[in-house]
Structures are given as structure tokens and as C-alpha cells.
Amino acid sequence: IRGRSDPDTVHVGDRIDTWEVTGVELGRRLTMRFGLKAPGAGALEFHVQELAPQRTRVTATAFWHPAGVRGLLYWCAMIPAHIVIFDGLARAIIERAQATEQGAGTARSLT
């Protein structure tokens, strides 16, 4: 079965789009493996760090292990797209988190 086993929580083995969840620390970390055929292996990891009572940092880190020269060329060719994608992804995460917190009655600033 592809997809998530529960709509409200994420578990190791769940699929989110083309990513397979490989690690979860609730409220702190989410690690996913790239699930498409590519010349290498990739992972994406999100870390959430509480900085102050009303301030949280969300960090997204992409890992790529190229399979030879083709894998390295693939990664270099994708850098411009990844810059745009990751910037939009970070902004979307912040907006959703703020909307969720405001809906719960508390505003929280994410950086």
C-alpha cells in the first residue's frame, strides 16, 4: 500500500508523494528517502528546533549520493530547480504551521 497509514501522523515506511519515510522523531525530525529512479540515492530531512517560546527554526537538508559521473551531473543540473523548490517548500511549511497555530488560538513565528 502506498501512502500514509494514518492521515494525522507519519510513520516509518509511509509514502509521501515520491518519498519514503525512513525516520521520525515526533515534533523534531522527519527523514525521507527519494523514491524515484535516478542516478544516485537521495534523502530529505527536516529538523524542528525550538529557539524561544514564540520562535521555532525549521531546517530542510537534502542529501545526494551520486552514482558515478551521471549522478553528479544530475545533481548539478538540478541545483537551480532545487533552490526554487526548497525555498517554496520552506515558505509553505511556515505558512501552514502559522495557520495551524493561529487556528488553535496561539500565533507562533517560524524562521
Side-chain angles (χ1 to χ4, degrees), residues 1 6 18 23 28 39 48-49 52 60 74 84 87 95 102-103 106:
I1 295 175
D6 183 315
T18 60
R28 299 195 59 212
V48 178
Q49 179 184 12
Y74 171 85
V84 172
D87 183 56
E95 289 171 4
Q102 288 172 355
T106 58

Side-chain angles (χ1 to χ4, degrees), residues 8-102:
D8 297 322
T9 59
V10 177
H11 302 280
V12 171
D14 284 353
R15 304 271 315 171
I16 302 172
D17 294 327
T18 60
W19 299 90
E20 178 186 351
V21 176
T22 58
V24 177
E25 289 178 47
L26 190 59
R28 299 195 59 212
R29 182 183 62 86
L30 173 65
T31 306
M32 300 179 293
R33 181 184 63 82
F34 186 56
L36 293 179
K37 186 175 180 181
L44 182 59
E45 188 164 77
F46 295 95
H47 281 218
V48 178
Q49 179 184 12
E50 187 82 27
L51 300 176
Q54 295 295 317
R55 207 164 151 84
T56 302
R57 175 179 290 139
V58 176
T59 305
T61 305
F63 298 93
W64 181 251
H65 302 282
V69 174
R70 286 185 60 222
L72 188 57
L73 291 173
Y74 171 85
W75 182 253
C76 290
M78 293 300 293
I79 287 174
H82 286 146
I83 290 170
V84 172
I85 290 167
F86 291 139
D87 183 56
L89 178 62
R91 290 180 193 281
I93 290 169
I94 290 167
E95 289 171 4
R96 278 189 171 186
Q98 287 175 334
T100 299
E101 289 294 322
Q102 288 172 355

